[in-house]
Amino acid sequence: MISYLEQMGVEYVFGVPGGAIEPLYNAIARNLRHGGNLNQIVARHEAGAAFMADGYARETGKIGVCVATSGPGATNLLTAVATAYSNNIPMLVITGQPALPSFGKQTLQESSCTGIDVLGMFRHCTRYNSLVSHPQQLECKLLAALQHATRSPAGPVHLSIPVDVFRAPATKRAPPYDMGSLLRPAALIDPDAVETLRGILASARKILILVGNGCGDSIHSILQFAQIKGATFITTSEGKGLVSPQHPLYRGVFGFGGHATAEEASHAPSVDVILAVGTSMGEWDTGGWNASLLNGRLVHIADTEEHLARTPMARFHLRGNVRAIFDRLVERIPEPDQRNVPSVMGARAPGDRPALGWHPSDALDSMDAYCSDATPIKPQRLMKELGALFPHGTRFLADAGNSIAWAIHCLEPRDRRMGERRMSGDRPRGPGKRRSAGGWLRLTSQFAPMGWAIGAAIGTAAANPDVPVVCITGDGSMLMNGQELSVAVAEQQCVIFVVLNDGALGMVKHGQRLCGAEQIGFALPPTDFAAISRALGGRGYTIHSAADIQALDIKSICTYPGPTLLDVYIDPEEVPPIGSRLRVLQEGV
């Protein structure tokens, strides 16, 4: 198992050790002693380990690996594995079991089919799920699992391995199969369907492109297509991180936390084709299944039938490799006179507007709050400062709750070249690679557990120690999963945790108010998160205003070998942009 993971270029296994999984940790230790490259990172909770594997996979494009012992170790993984499943993150999940002869005898932490059936629990949130009951099965089932994890639709796979099977001697010294060949992604394309699409696009007066998070490795071709055709584009919330908000053809985020300008673009009478690309078209991506998208103007391009099945009203469906499709489209479209095409690459001073009159500030609900010097700091102003403060190539991860809503709506990076070329600090890809599902902003929608970003930020930093990683999270999420900060201490990772401290489960509080519900169950006690960070071995700063942020020594923070926590006391009365979510809750659509 270790040999195959090394052959794929995997550098870390994230987990919590225990008796039933100990043989795997022994193998890692022996391999390291003999010069191997696969190491392990110990999480503080198994869910944190799987969130770390999620972050690692997004950053590298490789498979994330998380491990846990039997019983509670395995069940603690479930929420994080379900999150990876709903977001199509390739992940290998390995759990231990007691020895086979002890099945059914109520041995300690038994989780076999005769007791607490972990295999049954994982069945509905994995792409492949199997008990390895004999040593001879291991290689075959491992290869099958890895292929299911990385082929479309990607997702987590689970192997449950009894401790006596793990202890059996290996029969081979080296893997006989080349994982690079076995896992090489297929550039699937339907030439006839692409020709049909080309005809639709040729007759369109105006095209609007909806960029989803499945466009990670094809974004350059998509933006090239948009520029040649003069098509404006909007993004889903998860697609935002793949582009620069400064791009002159960009019109904002559609859906959860999004912008009125994006919805206006979808309503424009001149638009007769809406090209939805690499998106699942779920609640978040469509603003609660908004009719301005879901109509006969829609053309849906995706690499999985699961996504296409959600748009039966579309004018045309095209399933295939998104990058191959857009490469083919671009090849056959004549280049326009580039003197008349606006470019995102040209340098301009902050505040200058590009040729088409677009500026990211046009999309914001409240410029007053975005520029406010009030104390406590407005969350909109906090996002403005974070975007300006951190250097080119910084990875931002936003957690479930108000953190994700404010980041989607207000956060802009310093780097204006996203989508035009590979991110600065990106590392060479290893064998068995997939294209990264990353970008400058990373979110988790669909299942959306609190605390995801805390673990995922640590996995991101493990994958790429050359760039700062900023985790934007809430006080509720920090109280739920904040213990993982001590992993960043142990691993000497430059992770900056930005805690939006408003003494509440903010989305619950504001949701109750906006819906006219009872005000109950949202309050949190006053908590000094900066002090908690220092107690765990990190650094901590208390922030009340924009001036406090501007006074930080950002160079020192971004080069410090360990985590830094910014405990930001935000204005608790600022209402987050969560209107589409509340409409779904109230109307039950």
Side-chain angles (χ1 to χ4, degrees), residues 563-575:
T564 299
L565 186 144
L566 307 182
D567 188 5
V568 186
Y569 286 80
I570 61 169
D571 183 343
E573 299 307 313
E574 280 296 314
V575 180

Side-chain angles (χ1 to χ4, degrees), residues 511-523:
Q512 289 173 347
R513 288 182 179 179
L514 293 170
C515 291
E518 296 289 343
Q519 293 282 279
I520 186 171
F522 64 82

Side-chain angles (χ1 to χ4, degrees), residues 6-76:
E6 280 199 318
Q7 188 193 102
M8 295 169 61
V10 175
E11 300 151 296
Y12 292 103
V13 167
F14 303 91
V16 179
I21 200 73
E22 197 61 39
L24 181 58
Y25 278 86
N26 291 340
I28 293 172
R30 289 193 300 270
N31 187 58
L32 286 170
R33 197 160 55 243
H34 291 93
N37 296 316
L38 181 69
N39 211 331
Q40 54 81 42
I41 289 179
V42 179
R44 305 302 174 249
H45 187 279
E46 287 85 359
F51 289 149
M52 292 171 200
D54 182 325
Y56 177 89
R58 293 181 193 231
E59 177 63 25
T60 61
K62 303 172 187 175
I63 194 166
V65 183
C66 58
V67 304
T69 192
S70 59
T75 57
N76 280 348

Side-chain angles (χ1 to χ4, degrees), residues 167-232:
R167 287 175 179 154
T171 57
K172 302 169 185 175
R173 289 190 174 273
Y177 302 110
D178 176 13
M179 298 306 295
S181 298
L182 286 175
L183 304 182
R184 184 174 292 115
L188 298 176
I189 189 167
D190 181 341
D192 292 339
V194 173
E195 288 305 312
T196 302
L197 174 61
R198 184 176 282 114
I200 293 171
L201 298 175
S203 62
R205 298 189 311 274
K206 181 68 176 175
I207 300 168
L208 175 69
I209 304 172
L210 175 66
V211 175
N213 68 314
C215 298
D217 69 339
S218 55
I219 191 62
H220 174 77
S221 296
I222 293 170
L223 294 188
Q224 188 179 6
F225 169 84
Q227 196 143 323
I228 292 171
K229 295 290 288 184
T232 51

Side-chain angles (χ1 to χ4, degrees), residues 237-256:
S237 53
E238 287 193 284
K240 176 180 178 178
L242 300 176
V243 304
S244 168
Q246 306 286 340
H247 198 294
L249 296 173
Y250 176 63
R251 291 296 177 269
V253 175
F254 192 97
F256 180 84

Side-chain angles (χ1 to χ4, degrees), residues 140-185:
C140 176
K141 289 189 173 182
L142 176 62
L143 297 179
L146 293 172
Q147 287 178 310
H148 279 84
T150 54
R151 299 276 170 83
S152 180
V157 294
H158 172 232
L159 293 178
S160 179
I161 307 178
V163 67
D164 52 337
V165 173
F166 253 140
R167 287 175 179 154
T171 57
K172 302 169 185 175
R173 289 190 174 273
Y177 302 110
D178 176 13
M179 298 306 295
S181 298
L182 286 175
L183 304 182
R184 184 174 292 115

